[in-house]
Short mmCIF file of all heavy atoms in Angstrom, two decimals:
data_model
loop_
_atom_site.label_atom_id
_atom_site.label_comp_id
_atom_site.label_asym_id
_atom_site.label_seq_id
_atom_site.Cartn_x
_atom_site.Cartn_y
_atom_site.Cartn_z
N MET A 13 -53.97 8.97 -26.63
CA MET A 13 -54.09 8.62 -25.23
C MET A 13 -54.43 9.86 -24.41
O MET A 13 -55.13 9.75 -23.41
CB MET A 13 -52.79 7.98 -24.76
CG MET A 13 -52.82 7.50 -23.37
SD MET A 13 -52.47 5.76 -23.32
CE MET A 13 -51.77 5.64 -21.72
N LYS A 14 -53.94 11.01 -24.85
CA LYS A 14 -54.23 12.23 -24.11
C LYS A 14 -55.71 12.59 -24.25
O LYS A 14 -56.35 13.02 -23.27
CB LYS A 14 -53.35 13.37 -24.61
CG LYS A 14 -53.30 14.52 -23.64
CD LYS A 14 -52.22 15.50 -24.00
CE LYS A 14 -50.92 15.24 -23.34
NZ LYS A 14 -50.85 15.46 -21.94
N LYS A 15 -56.29 12.39 -25.44
CA LYS A 15 -57.72 12.67 -25.62
C LYS A 15 -58.56 11.70 -24.79
O LYS A 15 -59.58 12.09 -24.22
CB LYS A 15 -58.10 12.55 -27.09
CG LYS A 15 -57.58 13.68 -27.94
CD LYS A 15 -58.02 13.53 -29.37
CE LYS A 15 -57.43 14.62 -30.23
NZ LYS A 15 -57.83 14.48 -31.64
N ALA A 16 -58.12 10.47 -24.72
CA ALA A 16 -58.84 9.48 -23.90
C ALA A 16 -58.79 9.87 -22.42
O ALA A 16 -59.78 9.69 -21.70
CB ALA A 16 -58.25 8.10 -24.10
N SER A 17 -57.67 10.40 -21.97
CA SER A 17 -57.58 10.80 -20.56
C SER A 17 -58.51 11.97 -20.27
O SER A 17 -59.15 12.00 -19.22
CB SER A 17 -56.13 11.17 -20.21
OG SER A 17 -55.74 12.37 -20.84
N TYR A 18 -58.61 12.92 -21.20
CA TYR A 18 -59.54 14.03 -21.00
C TYR A 18 -60.99 13.55 -21.00
O TYR A 18 -61.80 14.02 -20.19
CB TYR A 18 -59.35 15.10 -22.08
CG TYR A 18 -58.04 15.85 -21.97
CD1 TYR A 18 -57.30 16.14 -23.10
CD2 TYR A 18 -57.55 16.26 -20.74
CE1 TYR A 18 -56.10 16.82 -23.01
CE2 TYR A 18 -56.36 16.93 -20.63
CZ TYR A 18 -55.63 17.21 -21.77
OH TYR A 18 -54.44 17.89 -21.68
N CYS A 19 -61.30 12.60 -21.88
CA CYS A 19 -62.65 12.03 -21.91
C CYS A 19 -62.96 11.29 -20.61
O CYS A 19 -64.07 11.39 -20.07
CB CYS A 19 -62.80 11.10 -23.10
SG CYS A 19 -62.83 11.93 -24.68
N MET A 20 -61.99 10.54 -20.10
CA MET A 20 -62.20 9.79 -18.85
C MET A 20 -62.41 10.74 -17.68
O MET A 20 -63.29 10.51 -16.83
CB MET A 20 -61.01 8.87 -18.58
CG MET A 20 -60.96 7.68 -19.50
SD MET A 20 -59.50 6.67 -19.25
CE MET A 20 -59.87 5.93 -17.67
N MET A 21 -61.61 11.81 -17.61
CA MET A 21 -61.77 12.76 -16.51
C MET A 21 -63.10 13.49 -16.60
O MET A 21 -63.77 13.70 -15.59
CB MET A 21 -60.60 13.74 -16.49
CG MET A 21 -59.31 13.14 -16.01
SD MET A 21 -58.01 14.32 -15.71
CE MET A 21 -57.57 14.82 -17.35
N THR A 22 -63.53 13.84 -17.82
CA THR A 22 -64.81 14.52 -17.99
C THR A 22 -65.96 13.58 -17.62
O THR A 22 -66.90 13.98 -16.92
CB THR A 22 -64.97 15.01 -19.44
OG1 THR A 22 -63.85 15.83 -19.76
CG2 THR A 22 -66.24 15.78 -19.62
N ALA A 23 -65.90 12.34 -18.10
CA ALA A 23 -66.94 11.37 -17.77
C ALA A 23 -66.99 11.10 -16.27
O ALA A 23 -68.07 11.00 -15.68
CB ALA A 23 -66.72 10.07 -18.53
N GLY A 24 -65.83 10.99 -15.64
CA GLY A 24 -65.78 10.78 -14.20
C GLY A 24 -66.37 11.93 -13.42
O GLY A 24 -67.09 11.73 -12.44
N LEU A 25 -66.11 13.15 -13.88
CA LEU A 25 -66.66 14.32 -13.21
C LEU A 25 -68.18 14.37 -13.37
O LEU A 25 -68.90 14.65 -12.41
CB LEU A 25 -66.02 15.59 -13.78
CG LEU A 25 -66.38 16.88 -13.09
CD1 LEU A 25 -65.86 16.87 -11.65
CD2 LEU A 25 -65.79 18.05 -13.84
N ILE A 26 -68.66 14.03 -14.56
CA ILE A 26 -70.11 14.01 -14.79
C ILE A 26 -70.78 12.95 -13.93
O ILE A 26 -71.80 13.21 -13.27
CB ILE A 26 -70.41 13.79 -16.29
CG1 ILE A 26 -70.01 15.03 -17.09
CG2 ILE A 26 -71.89 13.47 -16.51
CD1 ILE A 26 -70.03 14.83 -18.58
N VAL A 27 -70.19 11.75 -13.89
CA VAL A 27 -70.76 10.66 -13.07
C VAL A 27 -70.74 11.05 -11.60
O VAL A 27 -71.71 10.81 -10.86
CB VAL A 27 -69.97 9.35 -13.31
CG1 VAL A 27 -70.34 8.31 -12.27
CG2 VAL A 27 -70.23 8.82 -14.69
N LEU A 28 -69.67 11.68 -11.15
CA LEU A 28 -69.56 12.07 -9.74
C LEU A 28 -70.60 13.12 -9.37
O LEU A 28 -71.26 13.02 -8.33
CB LEU A 28 -68.15 12.57 -9.46
CG LEU A 28 -67.75 12.78 -8.02
CD1 LEU A 28 -67.82 11.46 -7.26
CD2 LEU A 28 -66.36 13.36 -7.94
N VAL A 29 -70.78 14.13 -10.22
CA VAL A 29 -71.75 15.18 -9.93
C VAL A 29 -73.17 14.63 -9.95
O VAL A 29 -73.97 14.92 -9.05
CB VAL A 29 -71.58 16.35 -10.93
CG1 VAL A 29 -72.74 17.32 -10.85
CG2 VAL A 29 -70.27 17.07 -10.69
N VAL A 30 -73.49 13.82 -10.95
CA VAL A 30 -74.83 13.23 -11.02
C VAL A 30 -75.08 12.32 -9.82
O VAL A 30 -76.17 12.33 -9.23
CB VAL A 30 -75.02 12.45 -12.35
CG1 VAL A 30 -76.27 11.61 -12.34
CG2 VAL A 30 -75.03 13.42 -13.52
N ALA A 31 -74.08 11.55 -9.43
CA ALA A 31 -74.24 10.65 -8.29
C ALA A 31 -74.44 11.42 -6.99
O ALA A 31 -75.22 11.01 -6.13
CB ALA A 31 -73.04 9.73 -8.18
N LEU A 32 -73.74 12.52 -6.83
CA LEU A 32 -73.90 13.29 -5.61
C LEU A 32 -75.28 13.94 -5.52
O LEU A 32 -75.83 14.09 -4.43
CB LEU A 32 -72.80 14.35 -5.51
CG LEU A 32 -71.40 13.80 -5.23
CD1 LEU A 32 -70.37 14.93 -5.26
CD2 LEU A 32 -71.36 13.08 -3.90
N PHE A 33 -75.85 14.30 -6.68
CA PHE A 33 -77.21 14.86 -6.66
C PHE A 33 -78.27 13.78 -6.46
O PHE A 33 -79.28 14.02 -5.80
CB PHE A 33 -77.50 15.62 -7.95
CG PHE A 33 -76.89 17.00 -7.98
CD1 PHE A 33 -76.06 17.37 -9.01
CD2 PHE A 33 -77.15 17.92 -6.98
CE1 PHE A 33 -75.50 18.63 -9.05
CE2 PHE A 33 -76.60 19.18 -6.99
CZ PHE A 33 -75.76 19.54 -8.04
N THR A 34 -78.05 12.61 -7.04
CA THR A 34 -79.10 11.59 -6.97
C THR A 34 -79.03 10.73 -5.71
O THR A 34 -80.04 10.20 -5.28
CB THR A 34 -79.05 10.66 -8.20
OG1 THR A 34 -77.77 10.05 -8.27
CG2 THR A 34 -79.34 11.43 -9.47
N THR A 35 -77.86 10.55 -5.13
CA THR A 35 -77.74 9.72 -3.94
C THR A 35 -77.46 10.54 -2.68
O THR A 35 -76.99 10.01 -1.70
CB THR A 35 -76.63 8.67 -4.11
OG1 THR A 35 -75.39 9.35 -4.33
CG2 THR A 35 -76.92 7.75 -5.28
N GLY A 36 -77.78 11.81 -2.71
CA GLY A 36 -77.56 12.66 -1.55
C GLY A 36 -78.50 12.38 -0.41
O GLY A 36 -78.27 12.79 0.72
N HIS A 37 -79.59 11.67 -0.66
CA HIS A 37 -80.59 11.38 0.37
C HIS A 37 -80.26 10.12 1.18
O HIS A 37 -80.97 9.79 2.10
CB HIS A 37 -81.97 11.21 -0.27
CG HIS A 37 -82.05 10.06 -1.21
ND1 HIS A 37 -81.57 10.15 -2.50
CD2 HIS A 37 -82.52 8.81 -1.07
CE1 HIS A 37 -81.75 8.99 -3.10
NE2 HIS A 37 -82.32 8.16 -2.26
N LEU A 38 -79.20 9.43 0.83
CA LEU A 38 -78.85 8.21 1.55
C LEU A 38 -78.17 8.54 2.87
O LEU A 38 -77.41 9.49 2.98
CB LEU A 38 -77.94 7.33 0.69
CG LEU A 38 -78.52 6.85 -0.63
CD1 LEU A 38 -77.49 6.07 -1.40
CD2 LEU A 38 -79.75 6.01 -0.39
N ASN A 39 -78.42 7.75 3.88
CA ASN A 39 -77.84 7.96 5.21
C ASN A 39 -76.72 6.95 5.45
O ASN A 39 -76.83 5.80 5.06
CB ASN A 39 -78.91 7.78 6.29
CG ASN A 39 -80.02 8.79 6.13
OD1 ASN A 39 -79.77 9.94 5.76
ND2 ASN A 39 -81.24 8.36 6.38
N SER A 40 -75.68 7.40 6.14
CA SER A 40 -74.59 6.49 6.50
C SER A 40 -75.04 5.56 7.61
O SER A 40 -75.90 5.91 8.43
CB SER A 40 -73.37 7.28 6.96
OG SER A 40 -72.88 8.06 5.91
N VAL A 41 -74.44 4.38 7.66
CA VAL A 41 -74.80 3.41 8.69
C VAL A 41 -74.32 3.90 10.05
O VAL A 41 -75.07 3.97 11.00
CB VAL A 41 -74.20 2.03 8.36
CG1 VAL A 41 -74.42 1.06 9.50
CG2 VAL A 41 -74.84 1.48 7.11
N ASN A 42 -73.05 4.24 10.13
CA ASN A 42 -72.47 4.68 11.39
C ASN A 42 -71.25 5.53 11.07
O ASN A 42 -70.44 5.15 10.25
CB ASN A 42 -72.09 3.47 12.24
CG ASN A 42 -71.71 3.87 13.64
OD1 ASN A 42 -71.60 5.04 13.95
ND2 ASN A 42 -71.54 2.89 14.50
N ALA A 43 -71.09 6.64 11.72
CA ALA A 43 -69.96 7.52 11.44
C ALA A 43 -68.64 6.92 11.93
O ALA A 43 -67.57 7.28 11.44
CB ALA A 43 -70.18 8.88 12.10
N VAL A 44 -68.71 5.99 12.87
CA VAL A 44 -67.49 5.40 13.42
C VAL A 44 -66.97 4.28 12.52
O VAL A 44 -65.76 4.07 12.42
CB VAL A 44 -67.78 4.85 14.84
CG1 VAL A 44 -66.55 4.20 15.44
CG2 VAL A 44 -68.27 5.97 15.73
N ASP A 45 -67.86 3.58 11.82
CA ASP A 45 -67.43 2.48 10.95
C ASP A 45 -66.66 3.02 9.76
O ASP A 45 -66.90 4.10 9.28
CB ASP A 45 -68.64 1.70 10.45
CG ASP A 45 -69.31 0.93 11.56
OD1 ASP A 45 -68.63 0.67 12.58
OD2 ASP A 45 -70.50 0.59 11.42
N SER A 46 -65.72 2.21 9.28
CA SER A 46 -64.90 2.65 8.17
C SER A 46 -65.46 2.22 6.82
O SER A 46 -64.96 2.61 5.79
CB SER A 46 -63.49 2.09 8.32
OG SER A 46 -63.53 0.68 8.31
N HIS A 47 -66.50 1.39 6.81
CA HIS A 47 -67.05 0.94 5.54
C HIS A 47 -68.02 1.99 4.98
O HIS A 47 -68.71 2.68 5.73
CB HIS A 47 -67.73 -0.42 5.67
CG HIS A 47 -68.83 -0.44 6.69
ND1 HIS A 47 -70.06 0.11 6.46
CD2 HIS A 47 -68.86 -0.93 7.94
CE1 HIS A 47 -70.82 -0.06 7.52
NE2 HIS A 47 -70.11 -0.68 8.44
N PRO A 48 -68.09 2.13 3.67
CA PRO A 48 -68.93 3.15 3.06
C PRO A 48 -70.34 2.69 2.74
O PRO A 48 -70.92 3.11 1.76
CB PRO A 48 -68.17 3.48 1.78
CG PRO A 48 -67.54 2.21 1.41
CD PRO A 48 -67.17 1.53 2.71
N TRP A 49 -70.90 1.79 3.53
CA TRP A 49 -72.25 1.33 3.28
C TRP A 49 -73.24 2.44 3.58
O TRP A 49 -73.06 3.22 4.49
CB TRP A 49 -72.59 0.13 4.16
CG TRP A 49 -71.91 -1.11 3.73
CD1 TRP A 49 -70.74 -1.59 4.21
CD2 TRP A 49 -72.34 -2.02 2.73
NE1 TRP A 49 -70.40 -2.75 3.57
CE2 TRP A 49 -71.38 -3.03 2.66
CE3 TRP A 49 -73.43 -2.07 1.90
CZ2 TRP A 49 -71.50 -4.09 1.76
CZ3 TRP A 49 -73.55 -3.12 1.03
CH2 TRP A 49 -72.58 -4.12 0.97
N THR A 50 -74.29 2.50 2.81
CA THR A 50 -75.35 3.47 3.05
C THR A 50 -76.67 2.73 3.12
O THR A 50 -76.80 1.59 2.69
CB THR A 50 -75.41 4.50 1.91
OG1 THR A 50 -75.50 3.82 0.67
CG2 THR A 50 -74.18 5.37 1.90
N ILE A 51 -77.67 3.39 3.66
CA ILE A 51 -79.01 2.79 3.76
C ILE A 51 -79.93 3.55 2.82
O ILE A 51 -80.05 4.76 2.88
CB ILE A 51 -79.54 2.86 5.20
CG1 ILE A 51 -78.66 2.04 6.12
CG2 ILE A 51 -80.97 2.37 5.26
CD1 ILE A 51 -79.06 2.09 7.56
N ASN A 52 -80.59 2.82 1.94
CA ASN A 52 -81.53 3.38 0.99
C ASN A 52 -82.81 3.75 1.73
O ASN A 52 -83.02 3.37 2.88
CB ASN A 52 -81.81 2.35 -0.10
CG ASN A 52 -82.38 2.96 -1.34
OD1 ASN A 52 -82.83 4.09 -1.33
ND2 ASN A 52 -82.36 2.20 -2.42
N ILE A 53 -83.70 4.47 1.07
CA ILE A 53 -84.98 4.83 1.69
C ILE A 53 -85.77 3.58 2.06
O ILE A 53 -86.45 3.54 3.07
CB ILE A 53 -85.79 5.72 0.72
CG1 ILE A 53 -85.12 7.07 0.56
CG2 ILE A 53 -87.21 5.90 1.19
CD1 ILE A 53 -85.76 7.96 -0.47
N ASN A 54 -85.67 2.53 1.25
CA ASN A 54 -86.40 1.30 1.52
C ASN A 54 -85.73 0.45 2.59
O ASN A 54 -86.22 -0.63 2.90
CB ASN A 54 -86.51 0.48 0.23
CG ASN A 54 -87.27 1.21 -0.84
OD1 ASN A 54 -88.14 2.01 -0.53
ND2 ASN A 54 -86.92 0.99 -2.08
N GLY A 55 -84.61 0.87 3.14
CA GLY A 55 -83.91 0.11 4.16
C GLY A 55 -82.90 -0.86 3.61
O GLY A 55 -82.36 -1.67 4.34
N ILE A 56 -82.62 -0.82 2.32
CA ILE A 56 -81.68 -1.74 1.70
C ILE A 56 -80.27 -1.18 1.82
O ILE A 56 -80.03 0.00 1.56
CB ILE A 56 -82.05 -1.94 0.21
CG1 ILE A 56 -83.47 -2.46 0.07
CG2 ILE A 56 -81.06 -2.83 -0.50
CD1 ILE A 56 -84.01 -2.42 -1.34
N HIS A 57 -79.33 -2.04 2.23
CA HIS A 57 -77.93 -1.63 2.30
C HIS A 57 -77.38 -1.56 0.89
O HIS A 57 -77.61 -2.43 0.07
CB HIS A 57 -77.10 -2.62 3.11
CG HIS A 57 -77.42 -2.63 4.55
ND1 HIS A 57 -77.04 -1.63 5.41
CD2 HIS A 57 -78.10 -3.51 5.32
CE1 HIS A 57 -77.45 -1.90 6.62
NE2 HIS A 57 -78.13 -3.05 6.60
N SER A 58 -76.63 -0.53 0.59
CA SER A 58 -76.03 -0.40 -0.74
C SER A 58 -74.66 0.24 -0.61
O SER A 58 -74.35 0.90 0.37
CB SER A 58 -76.92 0.43 -1.66
OG SER A 58 -77.03 1.75 -1.18
N PHE A 59 -73.84 0.03 -1.62
CA PHE A 59 -72.50 0.61 -1.68
C PHE A 59 -72.56 1.80 -2.61
O PHE A 59 -73.30 1.80 -3.59
CB PHE A 59 -71.49 -0.43 -2.20
CG PHE A 59 -70.08 0.05 -2.21
CD1 PHE A 59 -69.38 0.19 -1.03
CD2 PHE A 59 -69.45 0.37 -3.39
CE1 PHE A 59 -68.08 0.63 -1.02
CE2 PHE A 59 -68.15 0.81 -3.41
CZ PHE A 59 -67.46 0.94 -2.22
N ALA A 60 -71.78 2.80 -2.34
CA ALA A 60 -71.80 4.03 -3.13
C ALA A 60 -71.02 3.84 -4.43
O ALA A 60 -69.96 4.42 -4.63
CB ALA A 60 -71.24 5.17 -2.30
N TRP A 61 -71.51 3.00 -5.34
CA TRP A 61 -70.81 2.69 -6.59
C TRP A 61 -70.65 3.88 -7.52
O TRP A 61 -69.59 4.05 -8.10
CB TRP A 61 -71.50 1.55 -7.32
CG TRP A 61 -71.18 0.22 -6.73
CD1 TRP A 61 -72.02 -0.58 -6.05
CD2 TRP A 61 -69.91 -0.45 -6.74
NE1 TRP A 61 -71.36 -1.72 -5.63
CE2 TRP A 61 -70.07 -1.66 -6.04
CE3 TRP A 61 -68.67 -0.14 -7.25
CZ2 TRP A 61 -69.03 -2.56 -5.87
CZ3 TRP A 61 -67.63 -1.03 -7.08
CH2 TRP A 61 -67.82 -2.22 -6.39
N PRO A 62 -71.66 4.72 -7.71
CA PRO A 62 -71.47 5.83 -8.64
C PRO A 62 -70.37 6.79 -8.21
O PRO A 62 -69.57 7.23 -9.03
CB PRO A 62 -72.83 6.53 -8.66
CG PRO A 62 -73.80 5.48 -8.26
CD PRO A 62 -73.06 4.62 -7.29
N GLU A 63 -70.30 7.10 -6.92
CA GLU A 63 -69.24 7.98 -6.44
C GLU A 63 -67.88 7.33 -6.60
O GLU A 63 -66.90 7.96 -6.99
CB GLU A 63 -69.46 8.37 -4.97
CG GLU A 63 -70.65 9.27 -4.74
CD GLU A 63 -71.91 8.49 -4.42
OE1 GLU A 63 -71.92 7.25 -4.60
OE2 GLU A 63 -72.89 9.13 -4.00
N PHE A 64 -67.82 6.05 -6.31
CA PHE A 64 -66.56 5.31 -6.44
C PHE A 64 -66.10 5.27 -7.89
O PHE A 64 -64.93 5.53 -8.20
CB PHE A 64 -66.74 3.89 -5.89
CG PHE A 64 -65.52 3.03 -6.01
CD1 PHE A 64 -64.43 3.22 -5.18
CD2 PHE A 64 -65.45 2.06 -6.99
CE1 PHE A 64 -63.30 2.44 -5.31
CE2 PHE A 64 -64.34 1.26 -7.12
CZ PHE A 64 -63.25 1.46 -6.28
N CYS A 65 -67.01 4.96 -8.81
CA CYS A 65 -66.65 4.87 -10.23
C CYS A 65 -66.28 6.23 -10.80
O CYS A 65 -65.35 6.34 -11.61
CB CYS A 65 -67.81 4.28 -11.02
SG CYS A 65 -68.11 2.55 -10.64
N GLY A 66 -66.97 7.28 -10.39
CA GLY A 66 -66.62 8.62 -10.84
C GLY A 66 -65.23 9.03 -10.39
O GLY A 66 -64.42 9.56 -11.16
N GLY A 67 -64.92 8.77 -9.13
CA GLY A 67 -63.58 9.07 -8.62
C GLY A 67 -62.51 8.23 -9.29
O GLY A 67 -61.40 8.71 -9.57
N LEU A 68 -62.84 6.98 -9.56
CA LEU A 68 -61.89 6.09 -10.22
C LEU A 68 -61.60 6.56 -11.65
O LEU A 68 -60.45 6.56 -12.09
CB LEU A 68 -62.43 4.66 -10.23
CG LEU A 68 -61.50 3.59 -10.79
CD1 LEU A 68 -60.28 3.45 -9.90
CD2 LEU A 68 -62.24 2.27 -10.88
N LEU A 69 -62.63 6.99 -12.37
CA LEU A 69 -62.43 7.50 -13.73
C LEU A 69 -61.58 8.76 -13.73
O LEU A 69 -60.72 8.95 -14.60
CB LEU A 69 -63.77 7.77 -14.40
CG LEU A 69 -64.49 6.57 -14.99
CD1 LEU A 69 -65.87 6.98 -15.48
CD2 LEU A 69 -63.68 5.97 -16.12
N ILE A 70 -61.80 9.65 -12.77
CA ILE A 70 -61.00 10.86 -12.68
C ILE A 70 -59.54 10.51 -12.39
O ILE A 70 -58.62 11.05 -13.00
CB ILE A 70 -61.57 11.81 -11.61
CG1 ILE A 70 -62.91 12.37 -12.07
CG2 ILE A 70 -60.60 12.96 -11.32
CD1 ILE A 70 -63.65 13.14 -11.01
N ALA A 71 -59.32 9.58 -11.46
CA ALA A 71 -57.95 9.19 -11.13
C ALA A 71 -57.25 8.51 -12.31
O ALA A 71 -56.09 8.80 -12.61
CB ALA A 71 -57.96 8.26 -9.91
N LEU A 72 -57.95 7.61 -12.99
CA LEU A 72 -57.34 6.93 -14.15
C LEU A 72 -57.07 7.91 -15.28
O LEU A 72 -56.04 7.82 -15.96
CB LEU A 72 -58.24 5.81 -14.64
CG LEU A 72 -58.25 4.55 -13.78
CD1 LEU A 72 -59.28 3.56 -14.32
CD2 LEU A 72 -56.88 3.92 -13.74
N GLY A 73 -57.97 8.85 -15.50
CA GLY A 73 -57.73 9.88 -16.51
C GLY A 73 -56.51 10.72 -16.17
O GLY A 73 -55.70 11.06 -17.04
N GLY A 74 -56.34 11.05 -14.89
CA GLY A 74 -55.15 11.79 -14.47
C GLY A 74 -53.87 10.99 -14.65
O GLY A 74 -52.84 11.52 -15.08
N ILE A 75 -53.94 9.72 -14.33
CA ILE A 75 -52.76 8.85 -14.51
C ILE A 75 -52.40 8.73 -15.98
O ILE A 75 -51.23 8.82 -16.36
CB ILE A 75 -53.01 7.48 -13.87
CG1 ILE A 75 -53.05 7.60 -12.35
CG2 ILE A 75 -51.95 6.47 -14.30
CD1 ILE A 75 -53.52 6.37 -11.63
N PHE A 76 -53.41 8.54 -16.83
CA PHE A 76 -53.14 8.46 -18.27
C PHE A 76 -52.57 9.77 -18.80
O PHE A 76 -51.70 9.78 -19.66
CB PHE A 76 -54.40 8.10 -19.04
CG PHE A 76 -54.77 6.66 -18.98
CD1 PHE A 76 -54.02 5.74 -18.27
CD2 PHE A 76 -55.90 6.20 -19.63
CE1 PHE A 76 -54.37 4.41 -18.21
CE2 PHE A 76 -56.27 4.87 -19.59
CZ PHE A 76 -55.49 3.97 -18.86
N ASN A 77 -53.07 10.88 -18.28
CA ASN A 77 -52.58 12.18 -18.72
C ASN A 77 -51.12 12.37 -18.31
O ASN A 77 -50.30 12.84 -19.10
CB ASN A 77 -53.45 13.29 -18.15
CG ASN A 77 -53.24 14.61 -18.84
OD1 ASN A 77 -52.36 14.75 -19.68
ND2 ASN A 77 -54.04 15.57 -18.49
N ILE A 78 -50.79 12.01 -17.09
CA ILE A 78 -49.40 12.14 -16.63
C ILE A 78 -48.49 11.18 -17.39
O ILE A 78 -47.34 11.53 -17.70
CB ILE A 78 -49.33 11.89 -15.11
CG1 ILE A 78 -50.02 13.04 -14.37
CG2 ILE A 78 -47.89 11.74 -14.63
CD1 ILE A 78 -50.20 12.80 -12.90
N ALA A 79 -48.99 10.02 -17.74
CA ALA A 79 -48.18 9.03 -18.46
C ALA A 79 -47.82 9.49 -19.86
O ALA A 79 -46.83 9.03 -20.43
CB ALA A 79 -48.91 7.70 -18.52
N THR A 80 -48.59 10.40 -20.43
CA THR A 80 -48.31 10.85 -21.79
C THR A 80 -47.47 12.12 -21.85
O THR A 80 -47.23 12.63 -22.93
CB THR A 80 -49.63 11.09 -22.56
OG1 THR A 80 -50.42 12.05 -21.85
CG2 THR A 80 -50.39 9.80 -22.71
N TRP A 81 -47.06 12.64 -20.72
CA TRP A 81 -46.19 13.82 -20.75
C TRP A 81 -44.86 13.46 -21.39
O TRP A 81 -44.32 12.37 -21.18
CB TRP A 81 -45.92 14.34 -19.35
CG TRP A 81 -47.09 15.04 -18.73
CD1 TRP A 81 -48.26 15.39 -19.33
CD2 TRP A 81 -47.20 15.47 -17.38
NE1 TRP A 81 -49.08 16.01 -18.45
CE2 TRP A 81 -48.46 16.08 -17.24
CE3 TRP A 81 -46.36 15.41 -16.28
CZ2 TRP A 81 -48.88 16.63 -16.05
CZ3 TRP A 81 -46.79 15.95 -15.10
CH2 TRP A 81 -48.04 16.56 -14.99
N HIS A 82 -44.32 14.39 -22.13
CA HIS A 82 -43.03 14.18 -22.78
C HIS A 82 -41.94 14.87 -21.97
O HIS A 82 -42.09 16.02 -21.57
CB HIS A 82 -43.04 14.73 -24.20
CG HIS A 82 -44.01 14.03 -25.09
ND1 HIS A 82 -43.77 12.79 -25.61
CD2 HIS A 82 -45.24 14.39 -25.53
CE1 HIS A 82 -44.80 12.42 -26.35
NE2 HIS A 82 -45.72 13.38 -26.31
N GLN A 83 -40.87 14.17 -21.73
CA GLN A 83 -39.73 14.74 -21.02
C GLN A 83 -38.66 15.11 -22.03
O GLN A 83 -38.54 14.51 -23.09
CB GLN A 83 -39.17 13.74 -20.02
CG GLN A 83 -40.14 13.40 -18.92
CD GLN A 83 -39.53 12.42 -17.93
OE1 GLN A 83 -38.43 11.96 -18.12
NE2 GLN A 83 -40.27 12.10 -16.89
N LYS A 84 -37.86 16.11 -21.68
CA LYS A 84 -36.77 16.51 -22.55
C LYS A 84 -35.71 15.42 -22.57
O LYS A 84 -35.37 14.84 -21.55
CB LYS A 84 -36.14 17.81 -22.07
CG LYS A 84 -37.04 19.01 -22.20
CD LYS A 84 -36.33 20.25 -21.77
CE LYS A 84 -37.21 21.47 -21.92
NZ LYS A 84 -36.54 22.69 -21.54
N LYS A 85 -35.23 15.15 -23.76
CA LYS A 85 -34.18 14.14 -23.90
C LYS A 85 -32.83 14.85 -23.94
O LYS A 85 -32.63 15.76 -24.76
CB LYS A 85 -34.39 13.31 -25.15
CG LYS A 85 -35.66 12.49 -25.11
CD LYS A 85 -35.81 11.66 -26.36
CE LYS A 85 -37.09 10.85 -26.27
NZ LYS A 85 -37.33 10.06 -27.46
N TYR A 86 -31.94 14.44 -23.08
CA TYR A 86 -30.62 15.04 -23.02
C TYR A 86 -29.62 14.15 -23.73
O TYR A 86 -29.61 12.94 -23.55
CB TYR A 86 -30.18 15.25 -21.55
CG TYR A 86 -31.07 16.25 -20.83
CD1 TYR A 86 -32.04 15.82 -19.92
CD2 TYR A 86 -30.93 17.60 -21.05
CE1 TYR A 86 -32.84 16.72 -19.26
CE2 TYR A 86 -31.74 18.52 -20.40
CZ TYR A 86 -32.67 18.08 -19.50
OH TYR A 86 -33.47 18.98 -18.86
N ARG A 87 -28.82 14.76 -24.53
CA ARG A 87 -27.77 14.03 -25.22
C ARG A 87 -26.48 14.12 -24.43
O ARG A 87 -26.12 15.17 -23.94
CB ARG A 87 -27.52 14.58 -26.61
CG ARG A 87 -28.62 14.27 -27.57
CD ARG A 87 -28.20 14.71 -28.94
NE ARG A 87 -29.05 14.09 -29.92
CZ ARG A 87 -28.93 14.30 -31.19
NH1 ARG A 87 -27.99 15.08 -31.65
NH2 ARG A 87 -29.74 13.70 -32.04
N VAL A 88 -25.83 13.01 -24.32
CA VAL A 88 -24.54 12.97 -23.64
C VAL A 88 -23.47 12.87 -24.72
O VAL A 88 -23.44 11.95 -25.52
CB VAL A 88 -24.45 11.77 -22.66
CG1 VAL A 88 -23.09 11.73 -22.00
CG2 VAL A 88 -25.56 11.85 -21.64
N GLY A 89 -22.56 13.83 -24.72
CA GLY A 89 -21.43 13.77 -25.65
C GLY A 89 -21.55 14.55 -26.87
O GLY A 89 -22.25 14.97 -27.59
#
């Protein structure tokens, strides 16, 4: 599970970096709105899925990594 968490975090980082380079030309709809919609060059509304998925993979990899930590077991008596 620890190796899977490292793979997930690495894949998430790669997806995030690639997405930031490839979708950097998109413009936000409005800075006041809270939704993350962007406008493509062709005028099509799109959601920033690559950035979202990259961040999600990094977060899940971190959660899996923390879940596999071993704590010291204390004996009573």
Side-chain angles (χ1 to χ4, degrees):
M13 184 121 152
K14 198 168 268 290
K15 288 182 183 179
S17 70
Y18 291 138
C19 290
M20 287 176 71
M21 287 190 289
T22 304
L25 187 64
I26 291 169
V27 168
L28 191 62
V29 168
V30 169
L32 289 176
F33 281 125
T34 58
T35 60
H37 63 281
L38 299 177
N39 299 323
S40 296
V41 173
N42 190 352
V44 179
D45 291 339
S46 61
H47 57 76
W49 287 94
T50 53
I51 296 178
N52 199 346
I53 292 174
N54 299 330
I56 302 168
H57 292 286
S58 64
F59 184 73
W61 282 110
E63 291 93 348
F64 178 75
C65 292
L68 185 65
L69 280 174
I70 291 171
L72 285 175
I75 290 170
F76 282 0
N77 195 353
I78 291 171
T80 58
W81 286 352
H82 296 284
Q83 295 181 356
K84 292 183 179 181
K85 295 181 180 178
Y86 295 104
R87 288 187 163 179
V88 178

